[in-house]
Amino acid sequence: MNPISNLEDKFSFESIDSPEKRKEALNEAIVMMEAYVKLDNSVAVLSDLASNKSYIFAGNFGRFFDIHTSGFTTIDSIWEEDIYNRIHPDDLFQRHLLELEFFNFLKTISSEERLNYATKCRIRTLNTKKEYQYILHRSFYMKNSSEGGLWLAVCLYNYLLEKTAGANGIEGKIINTKTGEIFYVDTYENCVDLLTLREKEILVLISKGIISKEIAAKLNISINTVNRHRQNILEKLNVNNSIEAVRTAGALNLL
């Protein structure tokens, strides 16, 4: 189960440049990422939100994922499923919450400032011995479109050098890479208004096992309206189904 497989629905509302402008900027970004992984030894995933493609680059850490370190691989998705499938499900879910908070936090600041922020966390991931090992995960947006929409996203994977003994969870944080300011993410304050009152009301009823027809009768609205709200809930929470929606909303303290 991939709890973030619908995030492209949210990205579809972003302002995107013409294909010609995107191609030139994308080529520049690819060259930069090729050089970066050689210096950082990390695995980098550059995701083009406009064309739903990703470019995977590997430094020496590529051996952890059995990824070749020469050139780069292109996939027709903004999700690196082969990597996601190796992440512990609980940590993948917590990372999903972190990315939701990050995305909504960026909406509160100017487009110019957005590129100064990144997330950082630790995640348990299967190594070549099929054993869970904590690794470092970072994410940020490399470029906006000329109209200020989020466009090129970067995920970085590497060895975790800090000690992990006694720590709990993924220790997610948002960092201002320009000033060094750190925001530890545990309250998801930027997701407080993610759902409308009506959407919360419907999701509470869904959590009780009430079907759409019964929800419509109870709230005196049409079943089409209920279904539209249900779809909006899935898109806002970036999940695949109602079970995931209830779990995510509960973790964000929205219900």
Side-chain angles (χ1 to χ4, degrees), residues 65-94:
F65 292 120
D66 297 316
I67 299 175
H68 298 296
T69 58
S70 60
F72 62 89
T73 302
T74 304
I75 59 175
D76 292 323
S77 172
I78 59 172
W79 313 117
E80 56 271 26
E81 294 288 354
D82 288 345
I83 294 177
Y84 289 171
N85 290 336
R86 296 174 67 161
I87 300 173
H88 192 286
D90 291 344
D91 290 2
L92 186 62
F93 178 69
Q94 290 298 319

Side-chain angles (χ1 to χ4, degrees), residues 156-183:
L156 297 172
Y157 300 88
N158 211 334
Y159 292 109
L160 182 66
L161 303 180
E162 296 92 345
K163 293 182 179 180
T164 60
N168 295 316
I170 66 170
E171 296 189 311
K173 55 184 72 73
I174 297 173
I175 301 171
N176 185 321
T177 58
K178 187 176 181 179
T179 67
E181 187 176 9
I182 299 175
F183 306 90

Side-chain angles (χ1 to χ4, degrees), residues 24-48 53-60 68-73 80 138-143 152-158:
E24 181 180 353
L26 176 61
N27 288 338
E28 292 177 357
I30 287 174
V31 171
M32 292 175 63
M33 295 313 301
E34 284 184 304
Y36 181 81
V37 296
K38 291 179 181 178
L39 293 172
D40 192 55
N41 290 313
S42 56
V43 167
V45 181
L46 174 67
S47 296
D48 183 343
K53 288 183 180 293
S54 290
Y55 306 86
I56 302 176
F57 310 82
N60 287 334
H68 298 296
T69 58
S70 60
F72 62 89
T73 302
E80 56 271 26
R138 292 168 287 166
S139 69
F140 59 90
Y141 291 91
M142 188 176 187
K143 287 183 181 293
L152 292 182
V154 176
C155 283
L156 297 172
Y157 300 88
N158 211 334

